[in-house]
Amino acid sequence: MTNLLMRDARGAEVTRLRKALLAALGDAAADIPGLRSAGDVFDADVEAAVRRWQAGVGLIADGIVGPHCTAELGLVKMPAGAAFLGTNEVRALFPATKPANVSRYLPYVLAALAASGLTDRPMVLAALGTIRAETEGFLPISEYRSQFNTAPGGAPFALYDDRADLGNGPGDGARYRGRGFVQLTGRDNYRRYGEKLGIPLLDAPDLANAPEIAALLLARFLANCAKPMREALAAGNHKAARKLVNGGSHGLDRFRDVFVRAAKLQEVHGASADGEVAAASPVAG
């Protein structure tokens, strides 16, 4: 199954999704008669059913099905070891963050990492460190105005306009400002990663803040630099690791602190036979 299904998607995976939703909704599926169609199009009925199911199980009801939702529906099985840190431990890595945010969004992130083959300790911690450095609240959000993107008295995000390194033209700064867990920025990145995920990010950049999509963008971004990232982390070079994502050292202190705190947790809880931290029982928000 592909990693992402949303409105207008087509194929056998959509047919499987219809069947899974019928089973999950039970009698409530009668309210969406079109769901019983054998069609392979993610139409309005499928979207309505997805939102109904998401709301019923306490997920964000945005009608988008990614790794977390497909796992919850039983359409895929996450690889073992994808969550070597439990929710309590991850909360400890984010001391300034509302615990409820970690509880709500961590499953999306871990599922996306697993779907992208990033279940080893260095890459999971790199993902968590990136979130802490970019959006410490553990929320997929849009970039705020700051001295780095907006000149005094200037138009919001105009400092990003006409940036060749971002692929931006006039007015693109605000449209393609940072979004999501990884703060995806620039026309070129929205085009490139939209193509990778098969979604219209260029036309609808706010999709980058949808939890399933934000988590996959983070995972795919890290997957693209996984080899040098693992090498930098193995050498203890957090600055080089951070630069692979940010292009600089912004948020380096928070990125590094995740690894420091994780090492202390490992000392407390011990390591399993395969070198991963034993998972604690997740606690609801």
Side-chain angles (χ1 to χ4, degrees):
M1 188 163 194
T2 58
N3 290 328
L4 196 61
L5 293 174
M6 55 186 294
R7 190 68 175 268
D8 296 328
R10 294 172 178 269
E13 294 168 354
V14 178
T15 302
R16 290 182 60 204
L17 175 62
R18 285 178 180 270
K19 293 178 180 178
L21 289 168
L22 281 169
L25 289 174
D27 293 340
D31 296 334
I32 312 173
L35 182 62
R36 295 189 178 279
S37 165
D40 64 353
V41 179
F42 196 122
D43 56 18
D45 289 320
V46 176
E47 182 176 298
V50 170
R51 290 179 184 271
R52 179 79 171 265
W53 168 74
Q54 288 171 326
V57 296
L59 298 177
I60 295 168
D62 58 7
I64 298 173
V65 177
H68 181 41
C69 285
T70 54
E72 290 294 302
L73 282 167
L75 290 169
V76 297
K77 184 177 181 180
M78 287 294 106
F84 69 83
L85 288 175
T87 307
N88 280 343
E89 286 81 2
V90 175
R91 286 174 174 175
L93 306 182
F94 288 76
T97 300
K98 291 181 179 179
N101 290 353
V102 176
S103 297
R104 189 167 201 186
Y105 291 102
L106 178 62
Y108 291 97
V109 172
L110 293 178
L113 291 173
S116 301
L118 304 176
T119 60
D120 54 299
R121 179 184 177 85
M123 294 308 296
V124 174
L125 290 179
L128 296 174
T130 297
I131 294 173
R132 180 147 174 226
E134 299 286 354
T135 59
E136 189 165 13
F138 217 114
L139 294 166
I141 57 174
S142 296
E143 182 179 3
Y144 299 125
R145 289 170 59 176
S146 73
Q147 61 180 326
F148 303 107
N149 56 47
T150 303
F157 305 98
L159 291 181
Y160 288 163
D161 287 351
D162 300 307
R163 284 266 301 269
D165 59 325
L166 297 175
N168 281 352
D172 281 344
R175 183 167 178 77
Y176 300 114
R177 63 189 182 276
R179 290 183 178 85
F181 292 119
V182 76
Q183 289 294 279
L184 191 74
T185 306
R187 174 181 281 272
D188 278 354
N189 276 326
Y190 277 78
R191 174 189 54 77
R192 183 180 304 114
Y193 284 91
E195 291 173 354
K196 287 178 181 292
L197 298 184
I199 59 175
L201 274 184
L202 272 182
D203 296 329
D206 283 333
L207 283 174
N209 283 335
E212 293 274 32
I213 294 173
L216 276 172
L217 287 171
L218 171 66
R220 294 296 175 84
F221 204 98
L222 290 175
N224 282 347
C225 61
K227 185 176 186 295
M229 177 68 75
R230 290 186 176 105
E231 291 172 350
L233 293 176
N237 193 340
H238 296 107
K239 185 175 182 179
R242 177 69 185 134
K243 188 175 181 180
L244 289 169
V245 177
N246 178 256
S249 58
H250 173 75
L252 176 59
D253 56 336
R254 297 187 296 276
F255 181 84
R256 181 186 288 119
D257 190 56
V258 165
F259 289 85
V260 172
R261 289 172 178 271
K264 291 179 180 178
L265 285 176
Q266 189 173 24
E267 291 176 3
V268 172
H269 293 288
S272 61
D274 60 4
E276 292 182 340
V277 177
S281 299
V283 177

